Amino acid sequence: MTDLTTMPITEVVEKSELKHIAFIMDGNGRWARQRNLPREAGHTAGAANFKTIVRYCKRIGIQCCTVYAFSTENIRRPRHEVEAIFRLLLSYIEEAGSEKDIEFRFIGNPAALSENIGRRTKALEDVTRGRPYRLNIALNYGGRDEIVNAVNTLLAEGKQKITEDDISANLYTDTCPDPDLVVRTGKEMRISNFLLWQSAYAEFYFSDKMWPDYSTDDVDEAVRDFAGRSRRWGGLDKDETK
Ligand code: FPP
Protein backbone atom coordinates (compact mmCIF):
# COMPACT_ATOMS: atom_id res chain seq x y z
CA MET A 1 0.00 0.00 0.00
CA THR A 2 1.51 3.36 -1.00
CA ASP A 3 1.48 5.97 1.74
CA LEU A 4 0.03 9.11 0.20
CA THR A 5 0.75 11.16 3.29
CA THR A 6 4.53 10.80 3.05
CA MET A 7 5.16 10.42 -0.69
CA PRO A 8 6.65 13.57 -2.30
CA ILE A 9 3.85 15.64 -3.79
CA THR A 10 5.33 15.57 -7.31
CA GLU A 11 5.15 11.76 -7.19
CA VAL A 12 1.56 11.90 -5.97
CA VAL A 13 0.67 14.13 -8.95
CA GLU A 14 2.39 11.78 -11.37
CA LYS A 15 1.03 8.52 -9.93
CA SER A 16 -2.52 9.83 -9.69
CA GLU A 17 -2.35 11.17 -13.26
CA LEU A 18 -3.57 14.55 -12.13
CA LYS A 19 -3.25 16.60 -15.30
CA HIS A 20 -5.78 19.37 -14.85
CA ILE A 21 -6.84 21.17 -11.67
CA ALA A 22 -9.51 23.87 -11.59
CA PHE A 23 -10.19 26.42 -8.85
CA ILE A 24 -13.31 28.30 -7.91
CA MET A 25 -11.56 31.08 -5.99
CA ASP A 26 -14.37 31.98 -3.63
CA GLY A 27 -14.31 33.99 -0.41
CA ASN A 28 -12.39 37.17 -1.27
CA GLY A 29 -15.23 39.41 -0.12
CA ARG A 30 -15.76 37.59 3.20
CA TRP A 31 -12.01 37.51 3.85
CA ALA A 32 -11.99 41.32 3.57
CA ARG A 33 -15.13 41.82 5.65
CA GLN A 34 -13.71 39.65 8.44
CA ARG A 35 -10.88 42.20 8.61
CA ASN A 36 -13.09 45.28 8.31
CA LEU A 37 -11.64 45.98 4.89
CA PRO A 38 -13.49 46.86 1.67
CA ARG A 39 -14.29 43.89 -0.58
CA GLU A 40 -11.77 45.19 -3.12
CA ALA A 41 -8.97 44.46 -0.62
CA GLY A 42 -10.10 40.83 -0.66
CA HIS A 43 -9.75 40.71 -4.44
CA THR A 44 -6.27 42.25 -4.21
CA ALA A 45 -5.22 39.58 -1.71
CA GLY A 46 -6.97 36.96 -3.85
CA ALA A 47 -5.10 38.01 -6.99
CA ALA A 48 -1.75 37.78 -5.14
CA ASN A 49 -2.65 34.33 -3.88
CA PHE A 50 -3.76 33.22 -7.32
CA LYS A 51 -0.20 33.81 -8.58
CA THR A 52 1.30 31.76 -5.74
CA ILE A 53 -1.09 28.86 -6.26
CA VAL A 54 -0.76 28.75 -10.05
CA ARG A 55 3.05 28.78 -9.85
CA TYR A 56 2.94 26.04 -7.23
CA CYS A 57 0.67 23.82 -9.34
CA LYS A 58 3.14 24.13 -12.20
CA ARG A 59 6.06 23.38 -9.86
CA ILE A 60 4.50 20.11 -8.69
CA GLY A 61 3.92 18.99 -12.27
CA ILE A 62 0.27 19.77 -12.99
CA GLN A 63 0.06 20.49 -16.71
CA CYS A 64 -3.10 22.52 -16.80
CA CYS A 65 -4.76 24.90 -14.36
CA THR A 66 -8.11 26.70 -14.77
CA VAL A 67 -9.28 29.52 -12.51
CA TYR A 68 -12.67 31.18 -12.28
CA ALA A 69 -11.82 34.90 -12.28
CA PHE A 70 -15.09 36.49 -13.42
CA SER A 71 -18.40 34.86 -14.28
CA THR A 72 -21.04 36.14 -16.72
CA GLU A 73 -23.08 36.98 -13.59
CA ASN A 74 -20.34 38.92 -11.74
CA ILE A 75 -21.00 42.00 -13.90
CA ARG A 76 -24.09 42.61 -11.71
CA ARG A 77 -21.86 43.54 -8.77
CA PRO A 78 -21.40 47.21 -7.84
CA ARG A 79 -19.47 49.14 -10.49
CA HIS A 80 -16.55 49.98 -8.16
CA GLU A 81 -16.04 46.28 -7.31
CA VAL A 82 -16.20 45.20 -10.96
CA GLU A 83 -13.73 47.92 -11.90
CA ALA A 84 -11.37 46.87 -9.11
CA ILE A 85 -11.37 43.27 -10.42
CA PHE A 86 -10.72 44.51 -13.98
CA ARG A 87 -7.81 46.65 -12.77
CA LEU A 88 -6.27 43.62 -11.04
CA LEU A 89 -6.71 41.54 -14.15
CA LEU A 90 -5.21 44.15 -16.44
CA SER A 91 -2.25 44.66 -14.17
CA TYR A 92 -1.72 40.89 -14.04
CA ILE A 93 -1.95 40.61 -17.84
CA GLU A 94 0.72 43.31 -18.07
CA GLU A 95 3.26 41.16 -16.18
CA ALA A 96 1.99 37.69 -17.13
CA GLY A 97 3.95 37.27 -20.36
CA SER A 98 7.05 36.77 -18.23
CA GLU A 99 5.50 33.87 -16.29
CA LYS A 100 7.91 31.20 -17.48
CA ASP A 101 6.56 28.31 -19.59
CA ILE A 102 2.87 29.22 -19.23
CA GLU A 103 0.51 29.33 -22.18
CA PHE A 104 -2.47 31.56 -21.37
CA ARG A 105 -6.00 31.07 -22.60
CA PHE A 106 -8.92 33.24 -21.61
CA ILE A 107 -12.07 31.19 -21.60
CA GLY A 108 -15.44 32.88 -21.88
CA ASN A 109 -16.08 36.13 -23.68
CA PRO A 110 -13.56 38.69 -22.36
CA ALA A 111 -13.85 40.88 -25.47
CA ALA A 112 -17.45 41.70 -24.50
CA LEU A 113 -16.21 43.31 -21.26
CA SER A 114 -14.29 46.06 -23.04
CA GLU A 115 -12.27 46.63 -26.18
CA ASN A 116 -9.14 47.06 -24.05
CA ILE A 117 -9.62 43.77 -22.19
CA GLY A 118 -10.37 41.97 -25.47
CA ARG A 119 -7.19 43.29 -27.09
CA ARG A 120 -4.89 42.58 -24.14
CA THR A 121 -6.16 39.08 -23.44
CA LYS A 122 -5.74 38.18 -27.11
CA ALA A 123 -2.21 39.63 -27.16
CA LEU A 124 -1.20 37.56 -24.12
CA GLU A 125 -2.61 34.41 -25.72
CA ASP A 126 -0.64 35.14 -28.89
CA VAL A 127 2.74 35.72 -27.22
CA THR A 128 2.50 32.68 -24.96
CA ARG A 129 1.12 30.16 -27.48
CA GLY A 130 2.91 26.81 -27.55
CA ARG A 131 4.38 26.99 -24.04
CA PRO A 132 4.31 23.70 -22.09
CA TYR A 133 2.02 24.55 -19.14
CA ARG A 134 -1.50 25.84 -19.68
CA LEU A 135 -3.40 28.36 -17.61
CA ASN A 136 -7.05 28.97 -18.49
CA ILE A 137 -8.48 32.11 -16.94
CA ALA A 138 -12.27 32.07 -17.01
CA LEU A 139 -13.25 35.66 -17.71
CA ASN A 140 -16.82 36.64 -18.44
CA TYR A 141 -17.37 32.90 -18.42
CA GLY A 142 -20.51 30.81 -17.98
CA GLY A 143 -20.72 27.05 -18.44
CA ARG A 144 -24.16 27.15 -20.05
CA ASP A 145 -23.12 30.00 -22.33
CA GLU A 146 -20.09 27.94 -23.39
CA ILE A 147 -22.24 24.93 -24.37
CA VAL A 148 -24.74 27.12 -26.26
CA ASN A 149 -21.84 28.81 -28.04
CA ALA A 150 -20.42 25.40 -29.07
CA VAL A 151 -23.80 24.24 -30.41
CA ASN A 152 -24.29 27.48 -32.37
CA THR A 153 -20.83 27.12 -33.92
CA LEU A 154 -21.71 23.59 -35.03
CA LEU A 155 -25.08 24.70 -36.42
CA ALA A 156 -23.38 27.50 -38.34
CA GLU A 157 -21.06 24.87 -39.86
CA GLY A 158 -24.19 23.10 -41.14
CA LYS A 159 -24.00 20.08 -38.77
CA GLN A 160 -27.26 18.10 -38.73
CA LYS A 161 -26.34 15.71 -35.93
CA ILE A 162 -24.13 16.69 -33.01
CA THR A 163 -21.95 14.27 -31.01
CA GLU A 164 -20.33 14.65 -27.59
CA ASP A 165 -16.95 14.88 -29.30
CA ASP A 166 -18.25 17.74 -31.48
CA ILE A 167 -19.28 19.70 -28.40
CA SER A 168 -16.04 18.96 -26.51
CA ALA A 169 -14.00 20.14 -29.50
CA ASN A 170 -15.87 23.44 -29.63
CA LEU A 171 -15.62 24.42 -25.97
CA TYR A 172 -13.31 27.24 -24.91
CA THR A 173 -11.02 24.69 -23.22
CA ASP A 174 -10.70 22.65 -26.48
CA THR A 175 -7.12 21.21 -26.41
CA CYS A 176 -7.06 20.80 -22.60
CA PRO A 177 -7.97 17.50 -21.00
CA ASP A 178 -11.11 17.70 -18.84
CA PRO A 179 -10.41 18.74 -15.22
CA ASP A 180 -9.53 15.84 -12.94
CA LEU A 181 -10.03 17.85 -9.79
CA VAL A 182 -12.18 20.92 -9.11
CA VAL A 183 -11.39 22.76 -5.87
CA ARG A 184 -13.78 25.33 -4.43
CA THR A 185 -12.74 27.49 -1.51
CA GLY A 186 -14.96 29.71 0.66
CA LYS A 187 -17.13 27.10 2.36
CA GLU A 188 -19.77 26.92 -0.40
CA MET A 189 -20.64 23.64 -2.07
CA ARG A 190 -21.92 24.48 -5.50
CA ILE A 191 -20.62 24.58 -9.06
CA SER A 192 -21.83 28.09 -10.00
CA ASN A 193 -21.98 27.52 -13.77
CA PHE A 194 -18.28 26.53 -13.95
CA LEU A 195 -16.98 23.96 -16.47
CA LEU A 196 -20.37 22.23 -16.56
CA TRP A 197 -19.58 19.98 -19.50
CA GLN A 198 -15.92 19.35 -18.70
CA SER A 199 -16.43 18.41 -15.06
CA ALA A 200 -18.81 15.50 -15.80
CA TYR A 201 -16.31 13.06 -14.22
CA ALA A 202 -14.19 15.45 -12.17
CA GLU A 203 -13.54 14.87 -8.49
CA PHE A 204 -14.67 17.74 -6.27
CA TYR A 205 -12.89 19.10 -3.22
CA PHE A 206 -14.33 21.80 -0.97
CA SER A 207 -12.25 23.89 1.40
CA ASP A 208 -13.58 26.03 4.24
CA LYS A 209 -10.73 28.49 3.75
CA MET A 210 -11.37 31.82 2.07
CA TRP A 211 -9.38 32.09 -1.17
CA PRO A 212 -6.74 34.60 0.06
CA ASP A 213 -5.89 32.14 2.89
CA TYR A 214 -5.76 29.06 0.68
CA SER A 215 -2.14 27.89 0.79
CA THR A 216 0.20 25.56 -1.06
CA ASP A 217 -0.16 23.12 1.88
CA ASP A 218 -3.90 23.16 1.19
CA VAL A 219 -3.18 22.29 -2.45
CA ASP A 220 -1.11 19.33 -1.24
CA GLU A 221 -3.98 18.20 0.97
CA ALA A 222 -6.46 18.34 -1.92
CA VAL A 223 -4.05 16.54 -4.26
CA ARG A 224 -3.37 13.74 -1.74
CA ASP A 225 -7.09 13.39 -1.13
CA PHE A 226 -7.69 13.18 -4.90
CA ALA A 227 -4.99 10.51 -5.23
CA GLY A 228 -6.71 8.35 -2.61
CA ARG A 229 -10.02 8.33 -4.44
CA SER A 230 -11.22 5.61 -6.75
CA ARG A 231 -12.26 7.05 -10.10
CA ARG A 232 -14.70 4.69 -11.78
CA TRP A 233 -15.95 6.83 -14.67
CA GLY A 234 -19.38 5.28 -14.17
CA GLY A 235 -17.93 1.71 -14.19
CA LEU A 236 -16.73 -0.55 -11.36
CA ASP A 237 -13.46 -0.87 -9.46
CA LYS A 238 -11.06 -3.34 -11.16
CA ASP A 239 -11.43 -5.95 -8.38
CA GLU A 240 -15.24 -5.81 -8.62
CA THR A 241 -15.39 -6.76 -12.31
CA LYS A 242 -14.15 -10.33 -11.77
C1 FPP B 1 -15.05 35.26 -5.54
O1 FPP B 1 -15.04 35.85 -4.27
C2 FPP B 1 -14.07 35.90 -6.39
C3 FPP B 1 -14.33 36.62 -7.52
C4 FPP B 1 -15.70 36.86 -8.02
C5 FPP B 1 -13.28 37.29 -8.29
C6 FPP B 1 -11.96 36.56 -8.33
C7 FPP B 1 -10.95 37.54 -8.66
C8 FPP B 1 -9.68 37.50 -8.24
C9 FPP B 1 -9.06 36.41 -7.46
C10 FPP B 1 -8.80 38.68 -8.56
C11 FPP B 1 -8.43 38.86 -10.00
C12 FPP B 1 -7.97 37.65 -10.66
C13 FPP B 1 -6.84 37.48 -11.37
C14 FPP B 1 -6.77 36.26 -12.21
C15 FPP B 1 -5.69 38.42 -11.37
P1 FPP B 1 -16.32 36.66 -3.77
O2 FPP B 1 -16.10 38.09 -4.02
O3 FPP B 1 -17.55 36.07 -4.38
O4 FPP B 1 -16.25 36.36 -2.22
P2 FPP B 1 -17.48 36.25 -1.22
O5 FPP B 1 -18.24 34.99 -1.60
O6 FPP B 1 -16.81 36.12 0.09
O7 FPP B 1 -18.29 37.50 -1.37
Side-chain angles (χ1 to χ4, degrees):
M1 205 34 202
T2 40
D3 186 357
L4 290 168
T5 54
T6 54
M7 190 189 286
I9 196 69
T10 46
E11 258 177 63
V12 178
V13 168
E14 200 184 327
K15 280 205 169 31
S16 64
E17 297 183 31
L18 173 50
K19 304 255 185 296
H20 182 177
I21 187 166
F23 293 99
I24 302 180
M25 309 183 285
D26 195 17
N28 292 345
R30 278 166 288 159
W31 180 92
R33 285 292 177 226
Q34 286 159 6
R35 289 160 179 76
N36 287 321
L37 295 168
R39 292 177 56 81
E40 286 80 352
H43 295 311
T44 304
N49 198 41
F50 144 83
K51 290 187 226 171
T52 305
I53 298 296
V54 164
R55 286 179 190 146
Y56 183 69
C57 289
K58 187 182 94 170
R59 183 140 49 88
I60 63 176
I62 301 173
Q63 292 292 319
C64 177
C65 221
T66 300
V67 295
Y68 208 178
F70 196 82
S71 75
T72 43
E73 290 74 33
N74 286 151
I75 200 77
R76 297 185 202 134
R77 292 189 178 199
R79 193 72 222 155
H80 58 91
E81 181 172 345
V82 169
E83 277 170 4
I85 296 175
F86 289 175
R87 273 197 301 277
L88 287 165
L89 271 159
L90 285 167
S91 115
Y92 177 66
I93 288 169
E94 203 62 31
E95 63 182 55
S98 57
E99 283 287 354
K100 210 167 163 288
D101 293 336
I102 298 186
E103 174 181 64
F104 284 82
R105 187 71 62 85
F106 290 87
I107 64 170
N109 190 2
L113 295 173
S114 78
E115 196 270 329
N116 187 29
I117 292 179
R119 193 162 27 84
R120 287 175 187 231
T121 49
K122 165 95 178 44
L124 182 60
E125 289 179 341
D126 288 346
V127 301
T128 60
R129 204 174 304 282
R131 294 184 181 175
Y133 290 87
R134 168 89 166 254
L135 172 59
N136 298 313
I137 300 183
L139 185 52
N140 201 17
Y141 173 89
R144 288 183 174 184
D145 172 70
E146 180 179 36
I147 296 166
V148 168
N149 180 62
V151 171
N152 280 327
T153 305
L154 292 161
L155 291 176
E157 284 168 4
K159 278 256 181 206
Q160 301 289 317
K161 199 160 178 282
I162 292 170
T163 65
E164 290 191 10
D165 284 348
D166 289 332
I167 296 197
S168 295
N170 282 280
L171 297 174
Y172 300 128
T173 43
D174 57 13
T175 55
C176 253
D178 283 342
D180 302 295
L181 175 61
V182 177
V183 174
R184 181 173 189 141
T185 60
K187 237 175 166 172
E188 307 287 2
M189 293 197 192
R190 51 178 175 258
I191 192 164
S192 300
N193 205 11
F194 186 51
L195 303 180
L196 294 182
W197 181 277
Q198 299 90 328
S199 61
Y201 286 101
E203 297 294 324
F204 284 81
Y205 187 93
F206 298 98
S207 166
D208 284 352
K209 292 225 178 142
M210 301 298 129
W211 175 256
D213 288 332
Y214 191 73
S215 68
T216 56
D217 283 348
D218 295 320
V219 174
D220 285 359
E221 203 175 299
V223 167
R224 289 186 201 280
D225 188 88
F226 166 82
R229 296 189 195 182
S230 157
R231 298 185 84 189
R232 293 187 287 276
W233 313 94
L236 296 178
D237 274 331
K238 277 195 198 105
D239 57 357
E240 285 182 304
T241 54
K242 290 178 199 131

